Amino acid sequence: MNVNLNKMILSGLTCAVVLACTTCFAASEWFVKVDPNVEKGPIKLMNAVNNGPAQQRSDQTRSNFDEYAALKIPYARVHDAAHCHAYGGPHTVDISAIFPDWDADETKPESYDFTCTDEYLKTIRAAGTEPFFRLGQSIEHYIKKYHVHPPKDNAKWARICEHIIRHYNEGWANGFEWNIKYWEIWNEPDGNGVRADGRQGPTWTGDTQQFLELYKVTSLHLRKCFGDTIKIGGPAFCWWGAWQNDFIPFCAKENLPLDFYSWHCYYADAHMPGNAAREARKLLDKHGFTKTENHLNEWNYVKGWGDEWVYSLECESGRLNQKGAASIAAVMIDCQDAPLDMLMFYDARVGCGMNNMFDPLTLRPMKGYYPFLAWRRLTELGTQVEATVEKNNGAENQLYVCAAKNATGKKALFIARYHDDNNIIETRKVTVSLPEGMKADWENARCHVTDAESTYTETPLIINANGTATLKMQPNSFALIEFE
C-alpha cells in the first residue's frame, strides 16, 4: 500500500476516534445552571396525594402516621378510601356509606353514619394535612355495580351532600368546624359505557347527559347554601380531554360553579402530565373559566392497563419501584412549570399496589417517599428560582430540575433523571453552576441521592476548580442539593 495513503487512512481513523470519544464524553454529562437572582414565583402544591395515613389502634395493626406527617402533605383527596380497612373500609367517605338508606330523611342527623369517616378525617388532619373531599363513590371493578349509578333524585342527592358539608364545616349532627375547602362532585364519570368483557364502566353507569344534570343540580344547590366559603368543582375525569365538547361548554352555558377542574393522567412519558395541563388550561380559558383552578388529582406511572399492568405495578410498589420513584420526582418538577395549581398523587392509600410511598406490607417508606420529602424542602423555602439544563444531543429531556430559595438566602436544587427506556444504563455526570458571587456556597452544600443503591443517602459533591460542582447520577435517580 502507498505509504502516504496509509498515513491518510490512519489520520482519518484517528480523527474519527477522537471525534467519537468527544461525542461520547459530551453525551455523558449534563450542565445545569442555577441563578437564585431570577425569581419565578412560588413553589406550588405538587406534593398533594390521594388518601391519608393509618393510625395505630391495637394489636394486628400497622401505622405510617409519623412518616406521613413528616412529609407535610398539603391535601389528601379521600377518593377510594372505602377500599381500605384501615380507614373504615366500605363504611367510609362514600355517599352510600355516610347515607346508607336512600329512603331515609336527609334532613335528620340519625339518617347519617359519620363514624368511620370522622375518624379517618381526624387522622388526616392530625397529620397536618387538609382533606379534599370527593362527593360520590369509590370505583367498582366488580362484575355487578352497586353504587355508581345515577341517583334516583338529583335534588335529594344534592341535599345529602349539603348536610355532609354542614357536618364537617358547620358542626351539624355533632360535627366539626373544619372549614374543608375543596368539594369535588363525583369521580371519573367518563369511565362509563360497556367494556369489551360486557361489564359496565366502573365509575358511572349513566350517560353523559345524566351526569351533566347531576353536576348542574348539585353545584347550584351547594353554591346557594354555602356561597364562596367552599370551592366546588370536579368531575375528576379519566383524562383532561374527556367530554371536552360537553362538560366545560355546558358549565359555561348554564353559568355553573366550577372553582376547580379536576382530571387524571397516568403516563410512561413524564412530560405527558405537564403537556396535558397546558391543554386543560387552554380549554378552560377558551370557555371563560380563566380563574378556575387546574387540578391533576390522580397520576402515577403506568406502562399500560392490559398486558403491561403487572410491570406497571412493579414500577410503582414492586421490585422496580426506583423507576417509579424517579418518575414521581420528574413529574413534580415538570409540572411546577406547567399551568397547574395542584398535583395529587395516586395513591398513598394503605396497602394499595399503586402506593410507591409506603410498603404495602410494612408501611415503611419506600423509594417513592423521598420525592415528597424533597418537595417539602422546596415548599419550606418558598420561592422558585431559575434552573436550566443546557441542551446536550437531545438528551436534556431526560433531566428535570427545579430550584428554590428563601428570604435568608438558603437555596436548594432538586434534580431528577428519568426515562422509560430500560436500555439506558450508563451513569452520567451532572455539573451544576452558580453565579460568580455564590461559588463559595458549594463548601456548605449537602447532597442526598436516591438511586438503585442509595435511599436519600448523603453523597459528596465533586467541587471543581472553576467553581462548579459535579455529581454522578444513575438512570432513574434523583438528588436534592441544599445550600446553607
Side-chain angles (χ1 to χ4, degrees):
M1 180 180 289
N2 183 286
V3 175
N4 290 331
L5 178 61
N6 193 31
K7 288 182 178 179
M8 290 175 63
I9 293 173
L10 290 173
S11 177
L13 287 172
T14 301
C15 289
V17 170
V18 171
L19 179 60
C21 289
T22 302
T23 302
C24 289
F25 178 76
S28 68
E29 188 167 10
W30 276 296
F31 297 89
V32 175
K33 181 179 180 181
V34 178
D35 191 346
N37 298 313
V38 180
E39 298 183 1
K40 300 184 67 175
I43 295 292
K44 297 188 294 185
L45 301 181
M46 302 292 98
N47 58 331
V49 299
N50 279 254
N51 290 302
Q55 63 170 318
Q56 187 76 37
R57 288 199 187 95
S58 59
D59 292 341
Q60 293 186 320
T61 63
R62 298 156 294 163
S63 174
N64 62 345
F65 182 88
D66 292 338
E67 292 81 4
Y68 186 106
L71 296 177
K72 297 185 179 179
I73 300 292
Y75 287 96
R77 179 176 179 250
V78 294
H79 173 61
D80 281 350
H83 293 309
C84 177
H85 289 291
Y87 304 152
H91 309 292
T92 311
V93 172
D94 291 349
I95 297 295
S96 60
I98 296 175
F99 192 78
D101 180 3
W102 176 261
D103 294 324
D105 186 341
E106 72 276 13
T107 66
K108 294 183 178 180
E110 57 265 30
S111 299
Y112 294 79
D113 182 357
F114 290 111
T115 306
C116 290
T117 307
D118 285 356
E119 182 194 46
Y120 178 45
L121 298 189
K122 284 179 183 177
T123 302
I124 291 173
R125 296 186 79 253
T129 298
E130 287 298 317
F132 181 110
F133 205 106
R134 186 270 293 128
L135 296 162
Q137 298 296 141
S138 296
I139 194 169
E140 295 183 353
H141 289 294
Y142 330 123
I143 191 170
K144 180 181 178 181
K145 309 308 173 191
Y146 292 87
H147 302 297
V148 294
H149 309 298
K152 297 177 183 178
D153 180 342
N154 288 342
K156 181 172 183 177
W157 196 86
R159 291 192 297 272
I160 294 169
C161 293
E162 169 203 340
H163 285 85
I164 292 172
I165 296 172
R166 293 196 188 282
H167 175 75
Y168 289 111
N169 283 2
E170 297 180 354
W172 182 78
N174 295 317
F176 311 92
E177 295 181 0
W178 284 344
N179 191 30
I180 296 176
K181 182 187 297 185
Y182 291 101
W183 297 89
E184 183 178 48
I185 299 173
W186 214 259
N187 171 76
E188 295 186 353
D190 54 321
N192 60 351
V194 179
R195 300 298 189 257
D197 60 2
R199 299 186 185 190
Q200 291 179 299
T203 49
W204 177 254
T205 62
D207 59 28
T208 303
Q209 190 58 41
Q210 285 175 299
F211 178 76
L212 296 179
E213 286 301 317
L214 176 63
Y215 188 87
K216 175 182 177 179
V217 171
T218 306
S219 64
L220 289 175
H221 180 73
L222 297 183
R223 180 63 84 224
K224 180 181 178 181
C225 290
F226 302 105
D228 294 330
T229 63
I230 63 172
K231 289 184 181 290
I232 302 163
F237 277 134
C238 297
W239 180 246
W240 75 267
W243 297 0
Q244 61 180 298
N245 296 320
D246 297 299
F247 178 72
I248 291 179
F250 178 78
C251 290
K253 178 184 176 182
E254 300 290 335
N255 195 28
L256 302 182
L258 189 62
D259 299 319
F260 63 93
Y261 174 56
S262 55
W263 48 279
H264 303 159
C265 180
Y266 293 93
Y267 60 87
D269 177 356
H271 292 286
M272 185 183 293
N275 290 336
R278 294 178 183 90
E279 295 302 318
R281 184 74 263 166
K282 288 179 185 176
L283 184 63
L284 289 166
D285 293 348
K286 175 183 176 181
H287 293 282
F289 291 105
T290 57
K291 295 183 179 180
T292 296
E293 294 178 22
N294 190 8
H295 291 186
L296 169 47
N297 66 4
E298 280 191 29
W299 61 280
N300 203 332
Y301 174 90
V302 172
K303 183 75 170 179
W305 299 99
D307 293 340
E308 296 167 315
W309 176 236
V310 172
Y311 176 81
S312 301
L313 289 175
E314 287 184 310
C315 291
E316 290 171 350
S317 60
R319 64 184 179 87
L320 302 174
N321 70 84
Q322 174 58 36
K323 179 177 180 178
S327 84
I328 293 172
V331 170
M332 285 177 161
I333 292 169
D334 197 55
C335 285
Q336 168 68 22
D337 290 325
L340 197 65
D341 297 288
M342 197 184 309
L343 269 177
M344 309 190 85
F345 178 73
Y346 188 95
D347 197 342
R349 189 170 81 241
V350 173
C352 177
M354 297 181 75
N355 184 346
N356 199 349
M357 300 171 67
F358 299 98
D359 184 278
L361 292 177
T362 67
L363 302 190
R364 297 185 184 117
M366 296 195 302
K367 302 279 190 177
Y369 177 90
Y370 294 96
F372 291 89
L373 181 57
W375 204 264
R376 170 197 155 182
R377 299 277 198 257
L378 297 185
T379 60
E380 289 172 341
L381 294 176
T383 301
Q384 184 187 6
V385 299
E386 186 172 272
T388 55
V389 181
E390 294 189 8
K391 293 185 181 298
N392 196 334
N393 297 329
E396 67 280 353
N397 63 357
Q398 299 173 7
L399 197 71
Y400 303 75
V401 295
C402 181
K405 72 173 184 180
N406 67 7
T408 66
K410 187 175 181 178
K411 303 175 287 292
L413 172 65
F414 191 21
I415 307 174
R417 182 186 177 192
Y418 167 77
H419 42 74
D420 192 42
D421 185 352
N422 292 333
N423 293 315
I424 298 174
I425 60 174
E426 79 281 4
T427 297
R428 296 184 64 170
K429 294 179 180 179
V430 178
T431 296
V432 184
S433 67
L434 292 170
E436 188 67 32
M438 299 181 184
K439 290 181 178 180
D441 289 2
W442 288 116
E443 298 302 325
N444 295 316
R446 298 178 65 189
C447 178
H448 288 86
V449 172
T450 302
D451 56 27
E453 285 82 33
S454 303
T455 301
Y456 207 71
T457 301
E458 186 167 358
T459 304
L461 295 164
I462 302 168
I463 309 301
N464 304 311
N466 64 355
T468 62
T470 299
L471 69 151
K472 296 178 181 180
M473 297 190 70
Q474 296 178 7
N476 290 323
S477 62
F478 53 92
L480 180 70
I481 303 174
E482 297 177 278
F483 310 84
E484 292 299 331

